[in-house]
Amino acid sequence: MQKIAILGSTGSIGTNALDVVSRFPGKFKVSYLSANSNIKLLAQQIKRFKPKAVCVGSGNVNGARVYRGEQGLRRIVKDMPVDVLVVGIVGSSALLPILAALPNIKRLALANKEALVMAGDIIMKKAKRNKVGILPVDSEHSAIFQCMAKDNAQEIKNIYLTGSGGPLLRTPMKNFKNITPHQAINHPRWKMGKKISVDSATMMNKGLEVIEAHHLFGLGVDRIKVVIHPETVVHSMVEFVDGSTLAQMATCDMRTPIQYALTYPSRVASPVKGVKFSELGALNFSQPDFKRFPCLEIAYDAAKKGKTYPCVLNASNEMAVTEFLKGHIRFTDIARVIEKVQGLHKAVKNATLNEILEIDKWARCKTEEILGAYNN
Ligand code: MG
């Protein structure tokens, strides 16, 4: 019996993870859950999965020991060692809980990409020191992990991250400045949280995934390519030095990468239907257009420069997306402000955690300052 815990249990990753866990009652026992504000759903999860403890952002629940807020999250991961920790919370708030958890877990099933973008070197080193296996849950990275199959980085020529192109792939670019939050979060393939949906519309999501892949697989950024693949059947590909390319294909269902992260190295039966090739028709692949998706180019640039540029990229993106969702800035302002803040940053090499947290704070202040000018 493996002890499992889920951070972000009421979000799309968390609910899918619990769906997977519920099919293996003899294999996993839920130790703790965390949720931000969806107390109603958390209460149902407590009743069903009987965790010993929960952490909540706000509100009150019964039936388990309750921790609160960001500090509570760091406490709970320290107080309660588990075999598998699923991190399904979005954004930079995952960083400190992940670092606090590493000495207390055996496996990290990681859906959050922002923490790796901010402090990938620190996380990967600490995971190695503590002999924690990091299993990617992000569908593209799970695909690459599955295609790699063994520790064979020297046999890999390139990896290809596929992206659907999001809801604005065919929208005339002259309309971009008037894109509403509702249009931006209307993803054609995946049902996800608001932040990652906006990131998909700008393709910043794919840019963050390039940096995520760089850390997870130890590959140089120049060997990580992005291709637009609107059908989203191929979740990513690995090209080997002998000219062979392996692709992982599956229907769009997060339970597939989640389950693999939990049961690896075994594959176990699942209710998720396989790809129906005879009904597919054509699969299309094309080069992303940086004019249409300036955020992708900015992210690539930050990834290539390395140091603390990705940390600043993530902070200003989080702020800009929040302001866009509130209706305070235009869709096209997101890329503009991120680029400006990148230009103002004085990067630090081999930054410590404290330096990273300081730079994250600086980037948020700068972004706010520049956004303030847009608001007026
Ligand atoms: Mg992804």
Side-chain angles (χ1 to χ4, degrees):
M1 196 73 147
Q2 294 194 61
K3 285 185 188 160
I4 188 167
I6 300 170
L7 304 188
S9 69
T10 57
S12 74
I13 297 292
T15 49
N16 277 307
L18 283 172
D19 183 274
V20 172
V21 166
S22 70
R23 280 186 286 110
F24 305 101
K27 193 167 164 54
F28 295 108
K29 164 84 188 91
V30 176
S31 281
Y32 60 89
L33 300 171
S34 92
N36 190 23
S37 55
N38 193 346
I39 297 301
K40 211 173 142 191
L41 180 55
L42 181 65
Q44 291 169 16
Q45 293 175 342
I46 293 173
K47 233 179 173 174
R48 179 152 181 216
F49 294 96
K50 302 187 174 54
K52 280 210 178 76
V54 295
C55 183
V56 294
S58 57
N60 242 326
V61 275
N62 296 318
R65 194 158 80 238
V66 179
Y67 293 70
R68 287 179 191 284
E70 274 177 44
Q71 280 197 347
L73 207 51
R74 296 211 290 277
R75 259 274 52 99
I76 200 170
V77 298
K78 274 188 188 156
D79 286 355
M80 301 181 70
V82 291
D83 297 292
V84 187
L85 178 66
V86 180
V87 177
I89 46 179
V90 71
S92 52
S93 55
L95 175 59
L96 295 178
I98 288 171
L99 289 173
L102 285 173
N104 286 324
I105 60 178
K106 294 189 182 118
R107 177 176 292 194
L108 176 63
L110 186 58
N112 176 284
K113 59 197 78 174
E114 291 87 350
L116 279 177
V117 171
M118 291 174 78
D121 291 335
I122 294 175
I123 292 173
M124 296 309 289
K125 254 186 224 153
K126 190 164 184 181
K128 204 172 170 191
R129 230 180 16 248
N130 288 283
K131 298 193 174 63
V132 175
I134 300 186
L135 279 283
V137 169
D138 205 349
S139 59
E140 295 79 1
H141 303 74
S142 172
I144 290 162
F145 182 76
Q146 293 181 54
C147 293
M148 283 172 72
K150 53 183 175 140
D151 194 11
N152 54 353
Q154 74 287 350
E155 296 174 3
I156 291 169
K157 189 165 181 197
N158 292 303
I159 59 179
Y160 289 88
L161 296 174
T162 56
S164 68
L168 306 180
L169 182 62
R170 314 238 178 267
T171 307
M173 278 164 61
K174 63 175 184 355
N175 300 352
F176 273 26
K177 61 180 192 300
N178 296 319
I179 294 293
T180 62
H182 177 75
Q183 288 170 301
I185 63 175
N186 186 22
H187 197 274
R189 298 280 161 185
W190 297 98
K191 198 181 159 353
M192 308 176 288
K194 283 183 185 166
K195 192 262 178 184
I196 184 170
S197 296
V198 175
D199 284 350
S200 296
T202 61
M203 281 198 82
M204 176 58 88
N205 183 51
K206 216 45 61 181
L208 299 176
E209 287 181 354
V210 168
I211 303 168
E212 181 187 5
H214 160 70
H215 289 295
L216 283 174
F217 307 116
L219 290 176
V221 175
D222 53 332
R223 286 158 75 194
I224 306 170
K225 322 276 183 195
V226 170
V227 277
I228 304 264
H229 171 44
E231 294 82 9
T232 331
V233 173
V234 172
H235 292 293
S236 279
M237 297 173 273
V238 178
E239 180 191 5
F240 293 92
V241 287
D242 63 357
S244 277
T245 298
L246 295 187
Q248 187 259 352
M249 299 185 228
T251 45
C252 284
D253 191 318
M254 282 313 290
R255 289 176 299 177
T256 305
I258 291 169
Q259 178 172 308
Y260 194 64
L262 301 188
T263 64
Y264 173 84
S266 309
R267 288 189 187 270
V268 199
S270 152
V272 178
K273 297 258 189 317
V275 177
K276 283 216 169 64
F277 287 98
S278 56
E279 291 168 15
L280 268 185
L283 295 182
N284 292 279
F285 299 91
S286 62
Q287 184 91 357
D289 175 2
F290 284 158
K291 281 209 186 73
R292 176 173 286 274
F293 300 112
C295 280
L296 181 58
E297 187 173 31
I298 299 165
Y300 250 121
D301 193 52
K304 280 180 191 150
K305 288 196 284 192
K307 299 182 203 167
T308 42
Y309 284 106
C311 171
V312 170
L313 177 87
N314 177 65
S316 47
N317 181 57
E318 282 189 16
M319 298 279 294
V321 169
T322 305
E323 290 301 294
F324 167 69
L325 285 170
K326 285 183 189 159
H328 292 168
I329 61 167
R330 288 179 186 274
F331 182 76
T332 42
D333 290 336
I334 297 174
R336 281 166 59 199
V337 67
I338 295 169
E339 193 169 26
K340 258 192 198 158
V341 181
Q342 286 283 300
L344 294 169
H345 178 48
K346 294 196 175 49
V348 176
K349 213 177 164 183
N350 299 323
T352 62
L353 179 61
N354 278 334
E355 284 172 323
I356 284 171
L357 297 176
E358 278 304 310
I359 286 166
D360 176 75
K361 223 187 265 167
W362 170 87
R364 283 165 203 272
C365 288
K366 263 294 158 223
T367 309
E368 204 167 74
E369 212 178 290
I370 297 168
L371 289 177
Y374 288 0
N375 281 332
N376 295 330

